[in-house]
Amino acid sequence: MESCARGTCSSALQSSPASVFTMLIQTLIASRCGLSNTNKYPSSNEEEILYSGMEFDFVIVGGGSAGSILARRLTEVQDWNVLLIERGVDPLPETVPPGLFNNNLGGPQDYYYAIEPQEGICLSIKDKRCKWSRGKALGGSSVINGMIHIFGNRRDFDGWASQGNPGWNFDEVLPYFRKSLSCSPEYIAEHGDKYCGTNGPLRVRYYNYTVTDFEDVILEAAREAGHPILKAVNGDRYLGFGRVLGTLDEGRRQSCSKAFLSPVRDRKNLYVITSSRADKILFEGKRAVGVRITLSNNKSVEVRATKEVILSTGTMVSPQLLMLSGIGPKEHLKELGIPVLVDLPVGKNLQDHVIWFGLYYSIVNESVTSAPTEQDQLNSAYEYLEFDRGPLRTLANDLVAFINPIDPESIYPEVQLLFSQIQRYDKNGLKSLLHSYDVNDKILQIMTDEIMKNGLITAYASLMRPLSRGVIELRSADPAERVKIYSNYYTVQDDWKRLMKAVPTLKSLLNTTILQKYKAKFHTFDIPQCRNITADTEEYYECNIRHATGTNYHACCTNRMGPANDSRTVVDARLRVHGVTNLRVIDSSVMPNITSANIHAPTMMIAEKGADLIKQDWGIRI
């Protein structure tokens, strides 16, 4: 369609205005379709699979980030037939432009879980319930996430290994981080290839195009204030301010479905079913032999696996499927009438990077004289669709800082700071940003009044190693019902106290020459319930934090990895579920502890390593 539309260009320019208009519409439609060409992805083989009675060597449940990688790597063995089951469909075109990130949260390809009510958290969120986004598409959360690609640090993975997980220390997992990646020649020339591969399926790049220079402003302020500057965030140093790499290339999101599945969509041993929900793992004794699924037409069918069933459905759904299949805490399963196959602490150990989003700088920028108009938005869409340029090519959250305000002697971070900017008068930009946290109307109005007076540089503080632990529980024995999510944020009060300690770092930037140029002032959200508390006190910050609580979308750890003699664990170091055979979990839920950075890159690493573990266990030389 695209070539056809563009082929009319020269003749249309010599025709009537109506013809030119028609050509323009055709071109824009073709460009939009190019963002979500379903031919890029493997076809759903539902009819062939269901009516042939075929069996598979491996059935992978979940076509997200981990599942996409596993499907690609396992089908490298030509004798293995692999079935990938995904509840969602192909990514929608609006998920491709990086600049639409905030708009996709809560959209049609987001499960958008609401956590269970808890006293003292999420108090300025609608219904006082934080929302946790998770991607519902082939490619999973890589289709809607912020695209930040950070590994974490040596302490994270050496800690995993020290908990009885041989093979998972930093030096042993680093090759699997690199295996996925294809960094630009320019990046490799500047930083080397120790932390970045060159032949992997996934392209990662700097965000490049930015609407303003606020990242440079904050970096210069940090440098002037004496903070370390990280030339490469994935590197040997872990503390400082720096720009991150993102899973994007040439202004397009690089989802795991696009990077890992699209190039191998025609492999004869790769089978895919979309729009289908896995309901239960099938066992013969304690050996996993298949999965029961419900199709889009509500028909229930069984698919068989001769070698292994692999769960890659993530932190919420992988424990749900285990528990529905009789693997979980026995008392909880008995309450719901589910026969217990193996008593394991499934759903326990839930961790997340809780975020305090109520922080910002007000700045004066005399060059901004009016709000972006609807015409500006249309122009941006046209620029992106037709010329691959403009503000939709990027996402202005590539500037981060890793700090340790708790232990100044440590080389490892305890808090991550994330920055973004909203220009004065840009009410739609502000609304889009606050929508991602689902803030209530009162806070939205307060901040809207603020944006009409000043430009804003928002700063979010995210706790890297929370002490609080949550839990996932079944709501019922019905697989169609969502799980209960108890985040338990701040149940260990030291968590909010450590977040509070990020404030001095943010304030330290104010007395720099460059921020004084913009007349910058530091603020916390003006939360009505906190107004009568003395500012800059511990009581005040606790109030603000408990109201402006959100998630960094990094929930993990609900199927903890560790040895079988550790009663806290669900899978072993080879990701096999304790007490049964032919069943693995390979996704973010197996992390023993959350990493000190965004968890998407570690999730990909787990899948890359998991694929090699499977190959080794079935006699394939790697």
Side-chain angles (χ1 to χ4, degrees), residues 439-466:
V439 301
N440 62 36
D441 292 340
K442 183 66 175 178
I443 297 299
L444 178 60
Q445 185 57 57
I446 289 170
M447 294 308 297
T448 299
D449 292 342
E450 179 70 12
I451 200 68
M452 298 306 291
K453 297 181 288 185
N454 299 292
L456 307 181
I457 296 176
T458 61
Y460 310 141
S462 180
L463 188 62
M464 292 292 92
R465 299 201 304 162

Side-chain angles (χ1 to χ4, degrees), residues 303-318:
V303 291
R304 308 286 287 188
T306 59
K307 286 185 168 63
E308 292 189 25
V309 173
I310 305 165
L311 299 187
S312 296
T313 45
T315 297
M316 275 73 85
V317 180
S318 284

Side-chain angles (χ1 to χ4, degrees), residues 150-189:
I150 310 178
F151 295 174
N153 60 58
R154 178 174 292 276
R155 180 178 62 178
D156 294 330
F157 304 102
D158 288 353
W160 291 8
S162 71
Q163 296 174 56
N165 295 298
W168 290 91
N169 70 37
F170 183 71
D171 290 328
E172 291 167 310
V173 301
L174 181 57
Y176 290 105
F177 279 109
R178 295 180 67 257
K179 185 177 182 179
S180 294
L181 301 182
S182 176
C183 291
S184 68
E186 296 80 11
Y187 185 90
I188 297 298

Side-chain angles (χ1 to χ4, degrees), residues 372-493:
T373 65
E374 186 174 311
Q375 183 63 49
D376 293 328
Q377 296 175 28
L378 291 172
N379 289 343
S380 294
Y382 175 73
E383 276 190 290
Y384 185 79
L385 289 170
E386 182 61 8
F387 301 111
D388 290 331
R389 68 188 187 202
L392 292 183
R393 277 182 62 93
T394 191
L395 176 63
N397 74 342
D398 60 330
L399 177 63
V400 303
F402 288 100
I403 64 173
N404 192 332
I406 292 94
D407 180 6
E409 302 301 317
S410 176
I411 64 170
Y412 295 107
E414 295 292 340
V415 174
Q416 181 188 35
L417 302 175
L418 301 98
F419 300 88
S420 61
Q421 183 180 26
I422 310 168
Q423 297 277 22
R424 186 182 180 187
Y425 305 120
D426 187 5
K427 293 189 289 186
N428 287 332
L430 175 72
K431 184 177 181 180
S432 175
L433 185 67
L434 294 183
H435 156 76
S436 64
Y437 294 106
D438 201 32
V439 301
N440 62 36
D441 292 340
K442 183 66 175 178
I443 297 299
L444 178 60
Q445 185 57 57
I446 289 170
M447 294 308 297
T448 299
D449 292 342
E450 179 70 12
I451 200 68
M452 298 306 291
K453 297 181 288 185
N454 299 292
L456 307 181
I457 296 176
T458 61
Y460 310 141
S462 180
L463 188 62
M464 292 292 92
R465 299 201 304 162
L467 300 175
S468 302
R469 296 290 183 268
V471 64
I472 299 289
E473 292 183 349
L474 294 177
R475 198 171 298 277
S476 75
D478 182 355
E481 284 215 62
R482 295 188 174 202
V483 293
K484 294 179 180 180
I485 303 170
Y486 296 94
S487 72
N488 291 344
Y489 290 150
Y490 311 138
T491 49
V492 178
Q493 70 170 353

